[in-house]
Amino acid sequence: MSVNLSAPRVEDLLPVRGVRIGTAMAGVKKPGRRDVTVFELAPGSQVSAVFTRNRFCAAPVQVARKHVAAQKSSGGVRALVINTGNANAGTGEPGLAHTQQTCEALAALMGLSADQVLPFSTGVIMEPLPVDRIVAGLPAALKALVVGQDSGQAWAWAAEAIMTTDTLPKAVSRQIEIDGQRITVTGISKGAGMIHPNMATMLGYVATDAAVSSQVLDALTRSAANASFNRITIDGDTSTNDSFVVMATGQAGNPLISDAASPAGQQLGAALLAVSQHLAQSIVRDGEGATKFIEITVDGGQTEDECLRVAKAVAHSPLVKTAFFASDPNLGRILAAVGYAGIDDLDVSRVDLSLGDVDVVRSGGRLASYTEADGQRVMQPSDIRVHLHLHRGDASATVWTCDLSHDYVSINADYRS
Amino acid sequence: MSVNLSAPRVEDLLPVRGVRIGTAMAGVKKPGRRDVTVFELAPGSQVSAVFTRNRFCAAPVQVARKHVAAQKSSGGVRALVINTGNANAGTGEPGLAHTQQTCEALAALMGLSADQVLPFSTGVIMEPLPVDRIVAGLPAALKALVVGQDSGQAWAWAAEAIMTTDTLPKAVSRQIEIDGQRITVTGISKGAGMIHPNMATMLGYVATDAAVSSQVLDALTRSAANASFNRITIDGDTSTNDSFVVMATGQAGNPLISDAASPAGQQLGAALLAVSQHLAQSIVRDGEGATKFIEITVDGGQTEDECLRVAKAVAHSPLVKTAFFASDPNLGRILAAVGYAGIDDLDVSRVDLSLGDVDVVRSGGRLASYTEADGQRVMQPSDIRVHLHLHRGDASATVWTCDLSHDYVSINADYRS
């Protein structure tokens, strides 16, 4: 089940110059599905990435973080290898060795050094990585690469090859023009459960052919992650494997963007943000068991951080989420969540709440004009906007979440089996 | 559904000298059930209480907090009035007026001043309190009081009269001897959803006939709440109405306990704690949709607080909870929760995990000796112990929670209707 989400059309996915992608069926968890993906990046590409803050971060996260940091000395990141079916997390030293072995195998096949490869894994936690099957699948992935699937189709297959409990692949492209040059930004993401914003969330890969300095790319990546993947939540569980990677091949021919605040920097930032928000929201729309997509905006906070805390408290509340599932305007549950969001000096007698076009609460109490019929009506659509106003400042923030349904329980009670 | 919980037997509930209880059917939400309870306390009783930290705390919480604080000047708390069916929360100024009206009505009937009455409400949030029906029910509650139901039966009816989505009443008694005098401690609680420890949780009322100073009673109350109601979680939602009240009538004839650290103070504290833990654990055993009761102990932390943070992260994780529901040893989810509990310098390579008698993780990775069959076996019982060791200090903490089942979603998608 997903909420107003459809699979991307291949013809809408635009190749990015300097990026080639190959996928293979390696039988990581089960046979007959694409489960290994290789990205090849042209020499000179810049890579920025943000990773999970989970202390039990997976072996590939530890290695990828190190290889991103070493790109100046390693000759640059030239390849990514991603497997689904196994997260290689909670696997201790053997897990690290398996990741290293994967990087070395791909590097040997491509004529690179191992630290030019970024490894990623997603799937079940605490199972040993079937590294032999992954390594055995690499030549097929590279062969797919070599025959030139550097097209929208390759992106579409990659979007499919990184899925776990996702019901649909997630991918999107944008094009902009900077200094007369056409710049492409294309990305994919995966994720449906264990989704909770904390640095980066789930797997997201965005590539652009823009020429951009590493400093600017880092800044734009952090900023895009913060306003997209860090603003979504499905179940409040922060994954061990979250990674968001932005690759810039510099092949578009534009003058190097070396100032994030310049018009070109802002244009590129806006395109990255649009792609990232689309990918992040797609994850929520494909949330495990989701039947509703909910946008929660909090205005009138003293800081963006406190707006976020309130929005996330509402977004995380199982009681709020089950009420949305039932289309039941049991809206006092939203106020309860606002109340425990941790703003100690919140004056609840100034809080306003509306859903869609229906004003529900004014000055901390239910409006006399509010009717149960209006509440029922506004809870029906599959896309719902919740708006809170704290009336204590000028800051605001928006997060996206989904409801909590029987299918969430079924999916997570049955996963693995 | 509840987990190894049965209704208390009336003969096990011991009356507390100086406490009389009356209940009535006032039709607050629907007719034909006990929904209003009045406690009458003998003159000279001491009352301590802890309340929700939710900023959207209900009108009765605001008033009860004030009246508890004023007991030295008001002549002492002499009555409690509790209604189920409506929480009187998120109701603004009219809600406060309704609470005041309830206190005044009961005070007039009993010859007290309104500030000698503590009001409590539980039920749906943001609906206007049907104050007229509650006030109309008070004479019947007082009549039940007057005819002398100061017995176990009255406690049993009160336990029933404060229920909302609870499937079973919760009540327990303990007796101890202090300085040759028999002391009784009897308590009731309610709660099944919107359960998340933050100061006090849900409604809990404990009475004793011990003679104890107000300072000692305050200290013992905070300490009992902290190790009972503040250690349970069902869904992570902190209620607007949480209240935990301890009443001491001083009629047992023991010498006044004026030092919490004295042998008598420690004995009374232990009895209060035993009753509070029983009541708190009963709430978890009756958790909405619960099929499993889970005790999570974290040892080897640097502080109790960090042990609690880890235990609560595990206890709150919907992924962990659905795995318990499925009896599926998808135990990597527990490690993931440990990893995002917010201990920034946690060395995950030292973490151990066991379930019941099965060692699962040693030094951050799965033990070679661990088998899926052992995992399956230990996930079957309805009572399960999870044990984590962080190996970074000497502190420890335990919390209690339940699983997340289809019935949790059903109950909360349907509540109100």
Side-chain angles (χ1 to χ4, degrees):
Chain A
M1 197 142 43
S2 61
V3 185
N4 297 333
L5 180 70
S6 46
R9 298 189 312 171
V10 170
E11 56 269 37
D12 291 339
L13 297 179
L14 308 172
V16 177
R17 282 165 290 185
V19 177
R20 296 201 304 169
I21 303 174
T23 54
M25 298 184 185
V28 176
K29 189 174 169 197
K30 50 189 177 190
R33 67 157 290 190
R34 293 175 198 280
D35 52 11
V36 169
T37 303
V38 172
F39 277 72
E40 181 208 62
L41 304 182
S45 295
Q46 298 288 342
V47 174
S48 292
V50 285
F51 296 100
T52 183
R53 285 188 180 146
N54 194 312
R55 291 294 303 162
F56 254 106
C57 67
V61 168
Q62 298 172 49
V63 173
R65 185 184 277 133
K66 208 170 64 184
H67 290 183
V68 168
Q71 62 186 309
K72 281 211 174 70
S73 60
S74 69
V77 171
R78 295 290 311 285
L80 281 59
V81 54
I82 312 158
N83 73 271
T84 186
N86 186 303
N88 196 10
T91 46
E93 284 300 324
L96 276 171
H98 289 156
T99 294
Q100 192 59 31
Q101 200 180 330
T102 308
C103 291
E104 281 165 9
L106 185 61
L109 290 167
M110 296 178 75
L112 304 172
S113 63
D115 56 2
Q116 294 182 286
V117 177
L118 304 186
F120 303 91
S121 297
T122 183
V124 70
I125 300 174
M126 220 179 70
E127 302 278 346
L129 187 77
V131 61
D132 293 343
R133 293 205 288 278
I134 292 169
V135 167
L138 294 177
L142 287 176
K143 193 165 166 228
L145 195 73
V146 170
V147 296
Q149 285 167 340
D150 53 343
S151 66
Q153 183 62 64
W155 281 96
W157 279 334
E160 198 187 300
I162 62 173
M163 289 165 59
T164 51
T165 57
D166 307 62
T167 67
L168 287 169
K170 299 159 187 73
V172 69
S173 290
R174 287 280 187 286
Q175 275 187 332
I176 52 175
E177 203 162 293
I178 293 183
D179 294 324
Q181 300 297 330
R182 181 182 299 168
I183 307 271
T184 303
V185 181
T186 295
I188 60 175
S189 66
K190 65 84 42 179
M194 210 178 250
I195 299 286
H196 174 59
N198 201 350
M199 193 57 186
T201 312
M202 300 294 82
L203 300 184
Y205 302 94
V206 174
T208 178
D209 46 13
V212 52
S213 73
S214 61
Q215 290 82 354
V216 170
L217 192 65
D218 283 346
L220 297 182
T221 299
R222 279 194 303 274
S223 158
N226 188 41
S228 60
F229 293 97
N230 282 352
R231 297 296 173 92
I232 62 173
T233 179
I234 289 175
D235 47 19
D237 274 285
T238 301
S239 160
T240 48
N241 291 57
D242 297 346
S243 307
F244 172 56
V245 179
V246 179
M247 303 159 263
T249 63
Q251 307 220 333
N254 62 299
L256 183 77
I257 301 170
S258 54
D259 177 3
S262 67
Q266 292 189 13
Q267 256 189 293
L268 182 61
L272 281 175
L273 178 60
V275 166
S276 302
Q277 281 193 338
H278 179 97
L279 295 173
Q281 291 180 10
S282 295
I283 286 175
V284 174
R285 290 186 181 281
D286 200 16
E288 287 171 347
T291 74
K292 294 270 193 348
F293 176 83
I294 303 152
E295 178 176 287
I296 301 166
T297 299
V298 177
D299 281 334
Q302 286 178 352
T303 62
E304 186 183 31
D305 178 65
E306 73 174 29
C307 293
L308 268 179
R309 265 189 292 158
V310 170
K312 288 179 182 176
V314 175
H316 290 169
S317 161
L319 291 171
V320 170
K321 292 161 96 80
T322 47
F324 277 110
F325 170 55
S327 302
D328 177 12
N330 195 337
L331 303 175
R333 293 174 176 178
I334 295 178
L335 295 191
V338 172
Y340 66 68
I343 305 188
D344 290 337
D345 61 349
L346 180 69
D347 179 355
V348 298
S349 74
R350 307 191 69 179
V351 172
D352 296 342
L353 166 67
S354 60
L355 267 77
D357 62 352
V358 175
D359 293 331
V360 181
V361 169
R362 180 72 45 84
S363 305
R366 199 169 79 177
L367 275 163
S369 64
Y370 172 78
T371 65
E372 179 78 9
D374 280 342
Q376 299 274 7
R377 176 174 59 76
V378 81
M379 292 293 277
Q380 292 305 320
S382 50
D383 275 51
I384 299 180
R385 282 162 193 261
V386 175
H387 185 237
L388 282 154
H389 207 302
L390 307 182
H391 291 291
R392 50 190 260 125
D394 294 326
S396 64
T398 295
V399 306
W400 299 280
T401 191
C402 58
D403 57 340
L404 172 59
S405 72
H406 284 294
D407 282 356
Y408 179 85
V409 177
S410 296
I411 291 164
N412 285 299
D414 299 344
Y415 186 49
R416 286 211 332 166
S417 39
Chain B
M1 197 144 43
S2 62
V3 186
N4 298 333
L5 180 69
S6 47
R9 298 189 312 168
V10 170
E11 56 269 36
D12 292 339
L13 297 179
L14 307 173
V16 177
R17 280 164 291 184
V19 176
R20 297 201 302 168
I21 305 174
T23 52
M25 299 186 185
V28 176
K29 190 175 169 196
K30 50 188 176 189
R33 67 157 291 190
R34 292 175 198 280
D35 52 9
V36 169
T37 302
V38 172
F39 278 71
E40 181 209 59
L41 303 180
S45 295
Q46 298 288 342
V47 173
S48 292
V50 286
F51 296 100
T52 182
R53 285 190 179 144
N54 194 312
R55 291 295 302 161
F56 253 107
C57 66
V61 167
Q62 298 171 50
V63 173
R65 185 183 278 134
K66 212 170 60 185
H67 290 184
V68 168
Q71 59 186 312
K72 281 212 176 68
S73 59
S74 68
V77 171
R78 295 289 312 286
L80 281 60
V81 54
I82 312 157
N83 73 271
T84 186
N86 186 303
N88 196 10
T91 45
E93 284 299 326
L96 277 171
H98 288 156
T99 293
Q100 192 58 31
Q101 200 180 331
T102 308
C103 292
E104 281 164 9
L106 185 62
L109 289 167
M110 296 180 73
L112 305 170
S113 65
D115 55 1
Q116 294 182 285
V117 177
L118 304 185
F120 302 92
S121 298
T122 183
V124 69
I125 299 174
M126 221 179 69
E127 302 278 345
L129 186 76
V131 62
D132 294 341
R133 293 205 287 278
I134 292 169
V135 167
L138 294 178
L142 287 178
K143 194 164 165 228
L145 195 72
V146 169
V147 296
Q149 284 168 339
D150 51 343
S151 65
Q153 183 61 66
W155 280 97
W157 279 335
E160 198 188 302
I162 62 174
M163 289 165 59
T164 52
T165 57
D166 308 60
T167 68
L168 287 169
K170 299 160 186 74
V172 69
S173 291
R174 287 281 186 286
Q175 275 186 332
I176 52 174
E177 203 163 294
I178 294 184
D179 293 324
Q181 299 298 331
R182 182 182 297 168
I183 307 271
T184 303
V185 181
T186 295
I188 59 174
S189 66
K190 65 84 42 179
M194 209 178 250
I195 298 285
H196 174 57
N198 202 347
M199 195 55 187
T201 312
M202 300 295 79
L203 300 185
Y205 301 94
V206 175
T208 178
D209 46 14
V212 51
S213 73
S214 60
Q215 289 81 356
V216 170
L217 191 66
D218 284 347
L220 297 183
T221 299
R222 280 195 301 275
S223 159
N226 187 42
S228 61
F229 292 96
N230 282 351
R231 296 296 173 92
I232 62 173
T233 178
I234 290 175
D235 48 19
D237 274 284
T238 301
S239 161
T240 49
N241 292 55
D242 297 346
S243 306
F244 172 56
V245 179
V246 179
M247 303 159 263
T249 63
Q251 307 221 332
N254 63 297
L256 183 78
I257 302 171
S258 54
D259 177 3
S262 67
Q266 291 189 13
Q267 255 187 292
L268 181 62
L272 281 175
L273 178 60
V275 166
S276 302
Q277 281 193 339
H278 179 97
L279 295 173
Q281 290 180 10
S282 294
I283 287 175
V284 174
R285 291 187 181 282
D286 199 17
E288 288 172 346
T291 74
K292 294 268 192 354
F293 176 83
I294 304 152
E295 177 176 289
I296 302 165
T297 298
V298 177
D299 281 335
Q302 287 178 352
T303 61
E304 186 184 30
D305 179 65
E306 74 175 30
C307 293
L308 268 178
R309 265 189 293 159
V310 170
K312 288 179 182 177
V314 175
H316 290 169
S317 161
L319 291 171
V320 171
K321 291 161 97 78
T322 46
F324 277 110
F325 170 55
S327 302
D328 176 13
N330 196 336
L331 302 175
R333 293 175 176 177
I334 295 178
L335 296 190
V338 172
Y340 66 68
I343 304 188
D344 289 340
D345 61 349
L346 180 70
D347 179 356
V348 299
S349 75
R350 306 190 70 179
V351 172
D352 296 343
L353 166 67
S354 60
L355 266 77
D357 61 351
V358 175
D359 292 332
V360 182
V361 169
R362 179 72 46 85
S363 305
R366 199 169 78 176
L367 275 164
S369 64
Y370 172 79
T371 64
E372 180 77 9
D374 281 339
Q376 299 274 5
R377 175 174 59 76
V378 81
M379 291 293 276
Q380 292 304 321
S382 49
D383 275 51
I384 299 180
R385 282 162 193 264
V386 175
H387 185 237
L388 283 153
H389 206 304
L390 307 181
H391 292 291
R392 51 190 261 123
D394 294 323
S396 65
T398 296
V399 306
W400 299 281
T401 191
C402 59
D403 57 339
L404 172 59
S405 72
H406 283 295
D407 281 356
Y408 178 86
V409 177
S410 296
I411 290 163
N412 285 297
D414 299 345
Y415 184 48
R416 287 214 330 166
S417 38

